[in-house]
Amino acid sequence: MTPSLVVENARTEAGEIVSLVLNNDRIAAIGPNAAASIDPAVPRFDAAGGLLCLPFVDGHIHLDKTLIGLPFIPHIPGGTVAKRIEAEKSLRRTVALPVEARGGALLEKLAAYGTLSVRSHVDIDTEVGLKGLEAVLSLKQSHGHLVDIQTVAFPQSGVLRDPGTAGLLDAAIAAGADLVGGLDPAGIDNDVTGHLDAIFSVASKYSVGLDIHLHDGGALGAFELRQIADRTAALGLEGKVVVSHAFCLGELEDAEFGRTAAALARSGVAIMTSAPGAVPMPPVKRLVAAGVRLFCANDNIRDAWSPFGNGDMLERVGILCDRQDFRSDEDLAAAFRLATQAPAEILGRPVGPLRAGSPADFVILPAVSLAEAVAARPLNRIVFRGGTIIARGGRLVV
């Protein structure tokens, strides 16, 4: 083996200074003396004591919705989820820049910040059909060298209230979507059983997972969570189902929270939170203590649902910490892992720690600990993808 690059003076989470010997797209060796016998002629990169981290994983974005690449468009006030859906569809009809351009621009921003894997929900309805999915699948080809992309066939307009959508979800999975989506079985479709029957039927047919948006609150939302958990276990889909948002978990009294969390833990249903403002948020520590898998993600990044968001997962972690009142080093480090290790496990991506044989995908941050990285949120980071530096200081260099 002839190494392609040696990365020197990198700091592990434990504070140890190590070298990484890279063999093209893999880590060949890592440790304090890993490079001791390597030919001095092999190219070297000095990490200058920077913190060696797993790459970020954004497990919930919408590549087809983003307005990145367009002049700023003022936010359209919404209200209910249903009203926001209609406002978004109205805007969607006027946007001339194709998904490939807008979504590609967003993927480039994500990669520049150190996010190398994403899960993108893609609208599937009787107006847009599979066009958005086809565009996002094309981004796998054009931008796969930067970011790994999973896709969710997402019925943003509902399933039962938009007749024909169930068939389109089936067609979307057949066309290459990775998971089946869902949305507020009660709040949007007004039929919990009918909605879950439709989406779980498609998932079972193709043996794929599901990722379901759930905004319905309180006891109703908790009931829906338990229904999802029961179906997940009955169909043998443990570990393959995510519920995104689940605001209701932040509203429940202790007994109902306990039985709902227990159902999620038993069935392996994971929870995604974007730590959004002005709504209840799943309590991170209580869920983790109950055995529920959980991760954070950006969700909407400058689109019809929000004018905010820059794609930086480290910034999102900081927002989560503020909302959950995380202040200790231990809490900040745990929050960091909600944007790296936790979503990687849930999305089925290669999981750390970095070791010999791991993909040479990692980020070097100018910090001495995960806690400092979360507190400072430094932009001056180095991103390695496949053993090559692809970004410095928040900008792509490839």
Side-chain angles (χ1 to χ4, degrees), residues 67-70 95-99 101-102:
L67 303 174
I68 297 288
L70 291 168
V95 173
L97 193 64
V99 169
R102 293 180 282 115

Side-chain angles (χ1 to χ4, degrees), residues 50-273:
L51 187 64
L52 177 65
C53 304
L54 292 170
F56 297 106
V57 176
D58 196 334
H60 187 123
I61 60 171
H62 295 264
L63 289 170
D64 60 327
K65 295 179 183 290
T66 186
L67 303 174
I68 297 288
L70 291 168
F72 185 77
I73 296 175
H75 182 63
I76 302 172
T80 66
V81 173
K83 288 181 179 178
R84 286 191 173 278
I85 291 169
E86 292 309 311
E88 178 187 42
K89 289 173 74 172
S90 178
L91 176 62
R92 186 176 72 187
R93 298 180 189 114
T94 69
V95 173
L97 193 64
V99 169
E100 291 89 341
R102 293 180 282 115
L106 177 53
L107 286 168
E108 290 164 11
K109 285 179 67 69
L110 295 172
Y113 290 132
T115 293
L116 303 184
S117 296
V118 302
R119 174 178 287 178
S120 177
H121 296 252
V122 184
D123 283 8
I124 304 292
D125 59 42
T126 55
E127 179 178 302
V128 74
L130 302 185
K131 292 178 183 177
L133 175 63
E134 292 164 356
V136 173
L137 290 177
S138 76
L139 288 171
K140 282 190 172 186
Q141 302 300 316
S142 61
H143 287 70
H145 65 293
L146 296 175
V147 181
D148 296 323
I149 304 170
Q150 286 185 358
T151 54
V152 182
F154 175 45
Q156 176 72 88
S157 297
V159 178
L160 306 181
R161 75 196 289 264
D162 187 17
T165 297
L168 286 170
L169 293 177
D170 188 301
I173 300 299
D178 298 300
L179 299 99
V180 180
L183 172 69
D184 295 346
I188 294 296
D189 271 345
N190 198 31
D191 185 344
V192 175
T193 299
H195 182 96
L196 295 181
D197 280 349
I199 63 174
F200 273 89
S201 176
V202 177
S204 181
K205 176 181 177 180
Y206 290 96
S207 298
V208 298
L210 299 98
D211 195 325
I212 304 165
H213 285 59
L214 183 65
H215 309 92
D216 293 338
L220 174 59
F223 168 76
E224 292 173 277
L225 284 176
R226 294 192 296 270
Q227 289 290 302
I228 291 167
D230 289 347
R231 287 171 181 262
T232 297
L235 292 172
L237 293 172
E238 292 94 337
K240 298 178 69 174
V241 177
V242 172
V243 176
S244 292
H245 304 309
F247 303 145
C248 64
L249 289 168
E251 302 175 294
L252 305 177
E253 49 85 20
D254 288 348
E256 187 153 31
F257 176 87
R259 67 187 182 115
T260 303
L264 296 171
R266 283 194 306 270
S267 61
V269 172
I271 298 297
M272 185 289 298
T273 182

Side-chain angles (χ1 to χ4, degrees), residues 293-365:
R293 300 186 305 159
L294 183 143
F295 66 99
C296 72
N298 271 302
D299 191 15
N300 303 104
I301 302 171
R302 196 178 151 201
D303 59 18
W305 291 76
S306 174
F308 302 117
N310 62 6
D312 185 0
M313 280 301 300
L314 194 51
E315 181 172 293
R316 182 57 48 184
V317 170
I319 292 170
L320 181 144
C321 289
D322 275 345
R323 287 224 56 197
Q324 296 281 291
D325 195 28
F326 287 178
R327 295 292 182 266
S328 71
D329 280 12
E330 181 181 4
D331 286 348
L332 269 59
F336 186 97
R337 295 186 184 100
L338 295 180
T340 53
Q341 184 173 344
E345 292 174 349
I346 292 166
L347 270 63
R349 311 306 307 170
V351 179
L354 296 169
R355 58 172 67 92
S358 296
D361 297 342
F362 51 88
V363 179
I364 296 174
L365 298 170

